[in-house]
Amino acid sequence: MDSEDRPVGVTARASRADGPESGAAGRREADDYACRAMVSSARAHERAAALLEGMAAAHPEEAELHLQSAARHRRWAANDRELARQYAPGSGPGRS
């Protein structure tokens, strides 16, 4: 077995509920992080879609495949934006 195949030595620590970020403050922090991650992912998918659309214009022989990929990235971006809205601090299930 190569060193690349060996599991990394990871040890468990106390649960997050035992830490200073427990309760509502910890949940808000987690939601904020999730929201920012989804917004960043949506932007990356939009950039990828724009690049693929440019590639379709530059390479007509592969345009259909590039445009199909671009459409997938646009769907993923829309999904990420929806998740960002869902996890925006103060929104989501059970919140006003």
Side-chain angles (χ1 to χ4, degrees), residues 29-43:
E29 183 179 333
D31 286 353
D32 183 53
Y33 176 81
C35 180
R36 286 184 283 124
M38 289 294 98
V39 167
S40 177
S41 179
R43 288 178 181 155

Side-chain angles (χ1 to χ4, degrees), residues 7-90:
V8 178
V10 178
T11 57
R13 62 181 187 141
S15 72
R16 292 189 61 87
D18 298 335
E21 298 160 355
S22 63
R27 180 66 189 173
R28 278 191 303 276
E29 183 179 333
D31 286 353
D32 183 53
Y33 176 81
C35 180
R36 286 184 283 124
M38 289 294 98
V39 167
S40 177
S41 179
R43 288 178 181 155
H45 284 302
E46 290 292 346
R47 287 191 304 272
L51 177 66
L52 286 159
E53 289 165 350
M55 291 171 66
H59 303 281
E61 67 281 1
E62 299 173 354
E64 185 60 32
L65 294 174
H66 290 316
L67 293 174
Q68 289 173 5
S69 292
R72 276 194 303 276
H73 279 281
R74 299 259 185 229
R75 283 194 307 273
W76 294 336
N79 184 55
D80 287 348
R81 283 190 298 274
E82 179 58 33
L83 286 170
R85 278 190 287 277
Q86 179 181 343
Y87 286 98

